[in-house]
Amino acid sequence: MYPEDELYKEISFLAYYFHWSYETVMQLDHRTRRRFCAEISEIHKKVSGKPKNIFEV
């Protein structure tokens, strides 16, 4: 089973950035939710103008 805290973080993140409802986010499978979270994070890093963390892979 997927950790409940992580699920709520993903739901909140996607709902905040995409303005999606809980129902919409929950219709996505785990892999798709994680991919959207990763893509949003990358976009956010690029537009924020912050230098890349040297420890990120």
Side-chain angles (χ1 to χ4, degrees):
M1 182 170 186
Y2 194 64
E4 187 176 349
D5 288 344
E6 292 300 314
L7 179 61
Y8 276 99
K9 287 177 186 177
E10 290 176 7
I11 293 166
S12 300
F13 192 77
L14 293 173
Y16 178 80
Y17 280 99
F18 281 160
H19 307 283
W20 286 352
S21 69
Y22 172 83
E23 291 79 16
T24 300
V25 175
M26 288 306 294
Q27 288 177 359
L28 302 171
D29 61 74
H30 170 69
R31 181 182 224 165
T32 303
R33 278 194 317 269
R34 294 297 291 183
R35 177 65 188 265
F36 274 122
C37 289
E39 294 296 330
I40 293 168
S41 292
E42 286 302 312
I43 292 167
H44 187 6
K45 287 176 190 175
K46 288 177 184 176
V47 300
S48 72
K50 292 183 182 177
K52 184 174 180 177
N53 182 335
I54 62 169
F55 297 107
E56 288 180 11
V57 178

